């Protein structure tokens, strides 16, 4: 190599290494280099080139001696001198810029083998996008005579350098067929992808050729939107599909893909060739409001480029492009200036309104700083106030390119100067006062000015390099610092609507104080309305804690602004949300109405708010919303003072009590009724209207209920009366003759814990109604003394209870059907709470005597023929369980025992129905505390001299056994029954059978069961009872009742065999009436036992024979029932046969299979036509004549 030549690779190598590399460059080529030399490497042409043929790998530069292109490039670069060294990166860049791709590849390969890889070449050859473009005709091709449209031969692969396997092409490597097939398949796939991309690129090129006239129309008329291009459409489709997938709209994405099946949404390159992928839709949306950077012209610069190589119109295109760019830039500047002008106009209007409000607030500001010195310090006349004295604006140094800003600055400066010089004018006096006041609190900030002589333009241009942004909305807010309270409120009013949507839902309650303070103090009604709208819509579905926080804020707002603004600003927000689709939002409205009630004008409270809550109570479907409505209505009732609204309140109470939700009814008793009763007490309507109205409705309900009482409505009215008891007693105390003497002096005796029933709500606590527990203690002491020693003279409220309320209640009780256990229980609970609340003295002296007067315990008071005496009514159980059980002292228990004994004796001796006595035993038996007392009453009946009373006692044991523990059964019940079972009177012995059956059904102790079994066996097997038809009837009836629930061993070993015997004996009965009665009871017993599990042995030995005997009776008495029995027998026989061949299912339930179900259906349909009355059944089984 000559000494003057430049070795382009001489960066770190020695000259000898460079010479060796230069000499062996053409001879020492590896097979991979040779193979690569014959491959086609497409490249990207300039934008102005025409589609041309692909270049082959052996293309050389247009030099005369045919030196390689790399050498020519190096020679051109290094022509400056012998000692100049050019970096490898510069050489690589020049080769890539001039599209000498193969030469660059050779250079990259040699550097890679030498371990000196260049990042530029590595990045280029590892990017597939550099080799998938449409190729053009470089200048070299033109000089070699290759036509513009003459394509050269395509190489076999377009693989990138990273995808080459150098081991395959090495000297010791062999190309195997499977590898070649894989390579060819890959090349075929890449070729198809390239064809598709080239087609898309041609489509884009065709789209770009829009007629010039249309382009002028679009530019001259911005409102005319340019039609969407196919390429843009595909790009938008891709972005939309990407957004749907990211946000979990998978089904929508699938549908969208199906509707655009001509596009591959998994590959961005399918949109177009060499088109960069834009940001996603979310980023595009967020950046759409930001001002885009101005367009800058870019020019490709080449080193040592021959002008002849450039296109002919290159230099003519550049001025046109620059002109268009300048025009576009100017249009963007104009749009930006117009936007700033609009901002300034809006700010001007806002400042004008602020000035008006500042003039009205001057006196308030003077009072705030009255403690400060009152000397006025005017601002220097040479310096204008900053942003009308409300903001410190730091944007003055950055806004330089807007003539409107300059004009605005001049105008503000002129105004400020006028304010300083003409301070006596009326228009500027408020502003001067405001400035003086603010300067007393906060002195103006002074900065040191440098002693420099820079021009203002240079100084401003220098400061423009500070990276500050005041062009956007946020930048405008940041650049202004508020220096007064009102300006802070204005700033918050502008910023909060933009802050709230970007705060996490779980943390938005943190914004409530900020929103409320701004809404309270902001001067603009429209902004306040927007902020309160944000408050009520702050959280999509606020939970309980979040609602409490919002309500707390609303109450604080109401306290601050007063009733007028609450009505004008808060109530409209509630009205808008009254029909919101989310129940949590409606719940917020319901709770807000109650929370804001104390702060509303009284006219609005009793009209608009009451109507809103009434509408929600009647129409809302959510239980929790109606519950909140009822509580808010109760709060409204605590503040309402319009007597005309009483009737509406009463209707609301009935509507709430009739609500199907238990939560709403409970809220009515806890909140609404006590509040409504307190209002009625103030109006004087509690005793004159409210309670009598409820009693009248109960009486009307009982009159209408002769054919069926509406127990739900009865419970509703009675529960309302029960909730009014504390308020009624408070009225008695507050209107008593001793009320004026009730003063808290000295030691007050404490109130017993059990003095009053436990209230369901603090509002039903008598102490809360009266005022305090101490005050109640004093009143109770005087109350008891008045009743014991001074009487009720002049005590009108108490006399109303004694003379009107109690008699009407007792009359209502006498109309209740005693068989309705629900009604008996409801009235018993009512009288129990009434007597416990009013007190023991009042109960003993006023309540009990009225009941005792009605319940005169004599046979004259019982109409045995009609059975409608007062002792057979519900008055007996309600008096026994509601009045006599209020107090549990020994004398009270004795009175209860004596009353029950007298009732049992009287009813037994008069042969009257025992329903009232049974109802008393059932109600008292539900409480284990009264079991011993009831057993005492029954033992009195066991040892009574009258057989009628003993029979009644025996039947009462049946009711008591189910609730009594087994110890008492063993110690008290069974001995009494054994005693009665040996009674001389057969009727008494028969009366014990139901009680024995109930013991077999409920008790588990084997010893007791054996004793009962022995007693029943004696009834069945003792010869003295063989002809006792009544005894057999009672035993069969008891077996049918307790058999399905009794112990299986007792049923299998005792019940079924004895039923078989009784059925067999009944076939031999000669008296037809007795035979009919026994057949009727057997029919019912076998029907009940047919659904039990019965073993095969019992089925064959007892159950089937008993059914056959019964069928024999039915054939003679009732052929239609014989059909049912035949079906039942047939089904049993089929089951037995199936068990015999091993196909049994383990159960003999006749109602379980299809045939059995059919038989059961037929049987029940027939029985449904009958009545349980023995006389009617006897008529059915009469012989047909």
């Amino acid at each position: 190599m000559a000494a003057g030549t430049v070795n382009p690779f001489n960066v770190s190598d020695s000259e000898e290494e460079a010479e060796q590399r230069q000499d062996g460059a053409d001879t020492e080529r590896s097979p991979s280099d040779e193979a690569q030399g014959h491959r086609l490497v497409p490249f990207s042409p300039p934008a102005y080139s025409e589609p041309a043929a692909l270049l082959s790998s052996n293309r050389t530069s247009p030099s005369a001696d045919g030196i390689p292109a790399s050498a020519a490039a190096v020679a051109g670069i290094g022509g400056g001198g012998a000692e100049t060294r050019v970096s490898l990166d510069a050489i690589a860049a020049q080769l890539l810029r001039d599209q000498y791709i193969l030469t660059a590849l050779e250079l990259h390969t040699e550097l890679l083998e030498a371990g000196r890889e260049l990042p530029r070449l590595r990045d280029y050859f590892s990017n597939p996008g550099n080799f998938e473009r449409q190729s053009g005709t470089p200048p070299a091709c033109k000089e070699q005579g290759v036509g513009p449209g003459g394509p050269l031969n395509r190489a076999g692969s377009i693989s990138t350098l990273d995808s080459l396997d150098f081991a395959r092409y090495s000297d010791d490597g062999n190309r195997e067929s499977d590898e070649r097939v894989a390579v060819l398949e890959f090349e075929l796939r890449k070729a198809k992808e390239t064809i598709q991309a080239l087609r898309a690129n041609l489509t884009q090129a065709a789209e770009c050729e829009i007629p010039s006239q249309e382009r002028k129309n679009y530019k001259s008329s911005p409102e005319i939107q340019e039609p969407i291009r196919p390429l843009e459409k595909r790009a938008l489709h891709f972005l939309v599909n990407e957004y749907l997938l990211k946000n979990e709209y998978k089904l929508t994405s699938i549908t969208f893909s199906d509707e655009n099946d001509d596009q591959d949404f998994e590959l961005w390159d399918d949109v177009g060739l060499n088109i960069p992928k834009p940001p996603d839709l979310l980023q595009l949306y967020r950046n759409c409001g930001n001002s885009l950077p101005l367009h800058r012209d870019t020019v490709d610069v080449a080193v040592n480029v021959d002008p002849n190589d450039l296109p002919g119109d290159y230099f003519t295109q550049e001025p046109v492009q620059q002109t268009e760019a300048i025009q576009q830039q100017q249009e963007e500047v104009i749009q930006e200036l117009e936007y700033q002008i609009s901002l300034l106009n809006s700010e001007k209007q806002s400042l004008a309104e602020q000035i008006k409000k500042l003039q009205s607030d001057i006196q308030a500001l003077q009072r705030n700083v009255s403690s400060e010195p009152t000397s006025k310090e005017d601002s220097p006349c040479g310096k204008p106030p900053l942003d009308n004295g409300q903001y410190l604006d730091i944007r003055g140094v950055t806004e330089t390119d807007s003539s409107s800003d300059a004009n605005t600055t001049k105008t503000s400066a002129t105004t400020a100067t006028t304010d300083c010089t003409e301070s006596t004018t009326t228009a500027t006096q408020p502003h001067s006062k405001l400035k003086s006041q603010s300067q007393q609190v906060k002195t103006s900030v002074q900065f040191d000015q440098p002693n420099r002589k820079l021009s203002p333009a240079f100084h401003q241009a220098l400061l423009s390099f500070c990276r500050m942004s005041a062009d956007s909305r946020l930048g405008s807010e940041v650049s202004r610092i508020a220096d007064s309270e009102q300006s802070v409120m204005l700033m918050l009013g502008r910023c909060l609507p933009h802050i709230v949507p970007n705060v996490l839902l779980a943390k938005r309650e943190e914004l409530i104080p900020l929103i409320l303070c701004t809404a309270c103090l902001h001067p603009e009604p429209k902004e306040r309305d927007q902020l309160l709208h944000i408050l009520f819509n702050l959280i999509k579905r606020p939970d309980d804690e979040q609602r409490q926080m919002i309500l707390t804020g609303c109450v604080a707002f109401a306290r601050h602004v007063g009733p007028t603004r609450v009505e004008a600003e808060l109530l409209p927000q509630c009205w808008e949300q009254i029909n919101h689709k989310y129940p949590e939002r409606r719940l917020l409205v319901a709770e807000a109405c109650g929370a804001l009630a104390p702060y509303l004008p009284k006219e609005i409270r009793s009209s608009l708010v009451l109507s809103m809550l009434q509408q929600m109570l009647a129409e809302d479907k959510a239980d929790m919303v109606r519950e909140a409505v009822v509580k808010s209505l109760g709060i409204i009732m605590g503040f309402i003072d319009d007597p005309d609204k009483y009737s509406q309140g009463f209707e609301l109470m009935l509507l709430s009590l009739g609500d199907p939700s238990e939560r709403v009814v409970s809220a009515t008793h806890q909140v609404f009724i006590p509040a409504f009763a307190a209002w009625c007490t103030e109006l004087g309507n509690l005793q004159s209207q409210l309670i009598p109205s409820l009693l009248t409705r109960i009486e009307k309900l009982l009159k209408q209920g002769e054919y069926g009482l509406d127990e739900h409505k009865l419970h509703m009215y009675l529960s309302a009366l029960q909730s009014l008891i504390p308020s009624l007693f408070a009225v008695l105390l507050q209107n008593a003759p001793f009320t004026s003497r009730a003063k808290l002096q000295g030691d007050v005796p404490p109130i017993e814990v059990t003095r009053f029933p436990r209230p369901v709500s603090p509002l039903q606590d008598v102490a809360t109604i009266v005022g305090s527990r101490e005050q109640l203690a004093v009143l109770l002491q005087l109350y008891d003394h008045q009743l014991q020693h001074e009487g009720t003279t002049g005590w009108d409220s108490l006399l109303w209870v004694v003379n009107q309320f109690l008699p009407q209640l007792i009359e209502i009780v006498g109309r209740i059907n005693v068989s309705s256990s629900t009604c008996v229980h409801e009235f018993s609970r009512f009288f129990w709470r009434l007597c416990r609340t009013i007190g023991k003295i009042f109960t003993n002296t006023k309540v009990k005597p009225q009941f005792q007067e009605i319940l005169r315990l004599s046979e004259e008071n019982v109409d045995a023929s009609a059975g409608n005496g007062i002792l057979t009514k519900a008055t007996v159980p309600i008096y026994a369980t509601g009045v006599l059980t209020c107090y549990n002292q020994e004398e009270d228990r004795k009175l209860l025992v004596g009353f029950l004994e007298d009732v049992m004796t009287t009813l037994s001796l008069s042969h009257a129905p025992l329903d009232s006595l049974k109802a008393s035993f059932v109600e008292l038996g539900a409480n284990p505390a009264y079991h011993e007392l009831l057993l005492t009453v029954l033992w009195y009946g066991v040892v009574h001299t009258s057989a009628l009373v003993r029979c009644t006692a025996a039947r009462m044991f049946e009711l008591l056994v189910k609730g009594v523990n087994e110890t008492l059964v063993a110690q008290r019940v069974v001995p009494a029954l054994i005693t009665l079972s040996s009674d001389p009177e057969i009727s008494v012995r028969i009366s014990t059978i139901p009680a024995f059956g109930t013991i077999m059904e409920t008790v588990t102790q084997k010893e007791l069961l054996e004793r009962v079994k022995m007693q029943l066996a004696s009834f069945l097997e003792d010869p003295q009872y063989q002809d006792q038809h009544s005894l057999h009837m009672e035993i069969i009836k008891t077996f049918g009742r307790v058999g399905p629930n009794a112990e299986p061993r007792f049923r299998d070993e005792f019940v079924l065999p004895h039923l078989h015997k009784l059925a067999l004996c009944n076939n031999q009965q000669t008296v037809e009436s007795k035979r009919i009665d026994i057949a009727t009871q057997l029919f019912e017993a076998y029907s009940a036992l047919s659904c039990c599990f019965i073993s095969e042995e019992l089925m064959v030995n007892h159950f089937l024979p008993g059914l056959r005997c019964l069928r024999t009776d039915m054939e003679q008495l009732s052929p239609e029932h014989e059909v049912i029995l035949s079906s039942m027998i047939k089904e049993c026989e089929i089951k037995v046969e199936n068990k015999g061949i091993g196909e049994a299912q383990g159960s003999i339930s006749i109602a379980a299979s299809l045939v059995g179900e059919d038989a059961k259906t037929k049987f029940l349909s027939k029985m449904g036509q009958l009545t349980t009355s023995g006389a009617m059944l006897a008529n059915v089984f009469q012989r047909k004549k």
Side-chain angles (χ1 to χ4, degrees), residues 212 229 358 412 452 549 679 751 979:
S212 58
R229 303 173 185 175
L358 283 173
S412 61
R452 298 292 300 276
M549 202 62 59
W679 184 36
I751 303 175
T979 302

Side-chain angles (χ1 to χ4, degrees), residues 893-1099:
R893 298 177 70 87
K894 287 182 179 179
L895 183 62
L896 177 60
V897 169
F899 175 74
L900 291 176
E901 290 175 352
D902 292 342
V903 169
M904 181 172 62
T905 303
T906 304
L907 292 177
S908 302
L909 296 178
S910 60
H911 300 276
L914 302 177
D915 294 337
S916 60
L917 184 64
K918 290 181 179 179
S920 302
F921 270 74
V922 170
E923 188 71 20
L924 291 171
N927 188 354
Y930 294 104
H931 288 171
E932 288 279 359
L933 185 146
L934 294 176
L935 289 173
T936 302
V937 173
L938 291 180
W939 185 253
Y940 166 82
V942 170
V943 297
H944 200 275
T945 56
S946 172
L948 295 175
V949 178
R950 295 197 299 273
C951 287
T952 301
R955 295 195 178 278
M956 290 298 107
F957 275 112
E958 178 187 357
L959 301 175
L960 197 59
V961 166
K962 291 184 178 181
V964 178
N965 61 62
E966 294 189 3
T967 302
L968 281 177
V969 171
Q971 296 177 356
R972 303 285 298 275
V973 176
V974 173
L977 290 175
I978 295 297
T979 302
L980 292 175
S981 64
S982 59
D983 193 269
E985 293 290 335
I986 187 65
S987 60
V988 176
R989 284 178 263 174
I990 294 174
S991 299
T992 61
I993 293 175
F996 281 125
T998 304
I999 293 175
M1000 296 298 298
E1001 186 180 12
T1002 57
V1003 176
T1004 58
Q1005 292 184 15
K1006 292 185 178 180
E1007 296 179 359
L1008 286 177
L1009 293 176
E1010 288 298 327
R1011 292 176 64 183
V1012 172
K1013 184 178 176 182
M1014 290 174 58
Q1015 185 61 47
L1016 292 175
S1018 66
F1019 286 147
L1020 289 169
E1021 298 172 1
D1022 195 329
Q1024 63 176 333
Y1025 300 118
Q1026 288 182 359
D1027 297 331
Q1028 293 295 329
H1029 176 73
S1030 300
L1031 185 143
H1032 293 162
M1033 287 280 295
E1034 196 66 46
I1035 286 181
I1036 296 173
K1037 183 179 179 180
T1038 302
F1039 282 172
R1041 176 172 58 87
V1042 305
N1045 301 320
E1047 186 183 15
R1049 187 169 63 89
F1050 171 73
R1051 181 176 62 242
D1052 296 342
E1053 297 179 0
F1054 190 81
V1055 174
L1056 290 176
H1058 283 92
L1059 282 178
H1060 179 204
K1061 292 180 181 178
L1062 290 171
L1064 187 61
C1065 294
N1066 196 49
N1067 290 149
Q1068 303 171 3
Q1069 179 62 253
T1070 56
V1071 181
E1072 186 174 351
S1073 60
K1074 294 182 178 180
R1075 187 178 181 185
I1076 292 173
D1077 294 339
I1078 296 295
T1080 301
Q1081 295 299 329
L1082 285 174
F1083 190 77
E1084 294 178 356
Y1086 274 110
S1087 299
L1089 292 171
S1090 63
C1091 296
C1092 301
F1093 173 79
I1094 302 175
S1095 64
E1096 181 182 358
E1097 180 181 359
L1098 287 171
M1099 179 67 68

Side-chain angles (χ1 to χ4, degrees), residues 547 583-584 587 590-591 621-629 661 663-664:
R547 288 196 308 274
E584 291 84 358
L587 181 59
E591 293 173 341
K621 297 180 180 179
D623 295 350
M624 60 179 181
V625 176
R626 298 198 306 276
E627 179 186 11
V629 167
S661 173
R663 296 175 56 178
V664 179

Side-chain angles (χ1 to χ4, degrees), residues 554-746:
C554 290
V555 171
F557 177 88
R559 289 175 178 173
H560 183 83
V561 302
T564 304
R565 282 184 58 182
V566 173
E567 175 190 354
E569 297 177 12
L570 271 183
L571 278 187
Q573 302 297 332
C574 295
W575 185 261
E576 289 179 2
Q577 306 267 340
I578 195 172
N579 291 319
H580 200 278
K581 64 177 181 178
Y582 292 128
E584 291 84 358
R585 300 282 278 276
R586 305 196 301 273
L587 181 59
L588 177 62
V589 173
E591 293 173 341
C593 289
L596 295 175
Y599 312 102
L600 290 168
K602 60 181 182 180
E603 299 83 4
I604 298 299
R605 255 197 312 257
S606 58
S607 58
L608 178 60
V609 178
L610 197 62
S611 300
M612 288 172 57
L613 293 173
Q614 185 174 8
Q615 177 184 344
M616 296 182 71
L617 179 63
E619 298 178 359
D620 205 291
K621 297 180 180 179
D623 295 350
M624 60 179 181
V625 176
R626 298 198 306 276
E627 179 186 11
V629 167
V630 169
K631 292 180 179 179
S632 295
L633 281 171
I635 297 174
I636 294 290
M637 291 299 154
F639 289 91
I640 201 169
D641 56 1
D642 184 3
D644 296 335
K645 297 296 180 181
Y646 166 79
S647 59
Q648 186 177 0
F650 185 76
E651 294 300 326
L652 286 172
M653 182 185 72
L654 296 181
L655 182 63
S656 304
L657 289 171
D659 195 276
S661 173
E662 188 63 31
R663 296 175 56 178
V664 179
V665 176
S666 177
T668 305
H669 289 292
Q670 293 176 6
V671 183
F672 184 85
I673 292 181
F676 187 60
W679 184 36
C680 291
T681 301
E682 296 180 16
L683 296 176
N685 294 342
L686 184 67
Q687 294 178 314
S688 62
Q689 292 188 31
L690 182 56
I691 294 178
S693 297
L694 292 172
L695 291 175
T696 302
R697 278 173 165 74
I698 293 176
E699 290 178 339
K700 184 178 179 181
L701 196 65
L702 292 175
K703 290 179 181 179
Q704 296 174 350
E706 295 179 358
Y707 302 101
L709 180 63
D710 190 346
E711 294 184 355
H712 174 70
K713 282 190 175 181
L714 180 64
H715 166 74
M716 183 177 76
Y717 297 142
L718 198 58
S719 63
L721 274 177
Q722 185 169 307
S723 297
L724 292 173
I725 291 174
S727 299
L728 176 62
F729 184 61
V731 169
L732 299 182
L733 294 178
Q734 292 169 347
N735 297 330
F738 54 79
T739 304
S740 59
R741 306 195 307 268
K743 296 180 181 179
L744 296 175
Q745 295 178 352

Side-chain angles (χ1 to χ4, degrees), residues 700-833:
K700 184 178 179 181
L701 196 65
L702 292 175
K703 290 179 181 179
Q704 296 174 350
E706 295 179 358
Y707 302 101
L709 180 63
D710 190 346
E711 294 184 355
H712 174 70
K713 282 190 175 181
L714 180 64
H715 166 74
M716 183 177 76
Y717 297 142
L718 198 58
S719 63
L721 274 177
Q722 185 169 307
S723 297
L724 292 173
I725 291 174
S727 299
L728 176 62
F729 184 61
V731 169
L732 299 182
L733 294 178
Q734 292 169 347
N735 297 330
F738 54 79
T739 304
S740 59
R741 306 195 307 268
K743 296 180 181 179
L744 296 175
Q745 295 178 352
D747 295 335
V748 179
I751 303 175
E752 296 181 5
V753 178
T754 59
R755 171 61 181 83
F756 294 101
R758 179 178 297 177
V760 298
S761 166
L763 297 178
Q764 290 194 20
D765 190 352
V766 181
T768 304
I769 300 173
V770 170
S772 66
R773 198 160 186 84
E774 293 77 12
Q775 182 72 16
L776 177 61
V778 174
L779 290 173
L780 285 177
Q781 188 177 17
L782 296 173
Y783 171 77
D784 292 340
H785 183 270
Q786 181 81 19
L787 289 177
Q788 280 183 326
H789 301 95
E790 300 182 15
T792 60
T793 305
W795 198 346
D796 295 337
S797 57
L798 187 71
L799 291 175
W800 176 85
V801 174
V802 175
N803 299 328
Q804 298 184 34
F805 184 54
L806 283 177
Q808 191 173 2
L809 277 175
I810 295 174
E811 182 183 358
I812 289 174
V813 165
R815 299 178 185 177
I816 297 174
N817 185 2
V818 70
S819 61
S820 176
S821 59
T822 303
C823 295
V824 171
H825 177 75
E826 292 287 345
F827 273 96
S828 298
R829 293 301 90 195
F830 172 78
F831 272 99
W832 186 87
R833 295 187 73 90

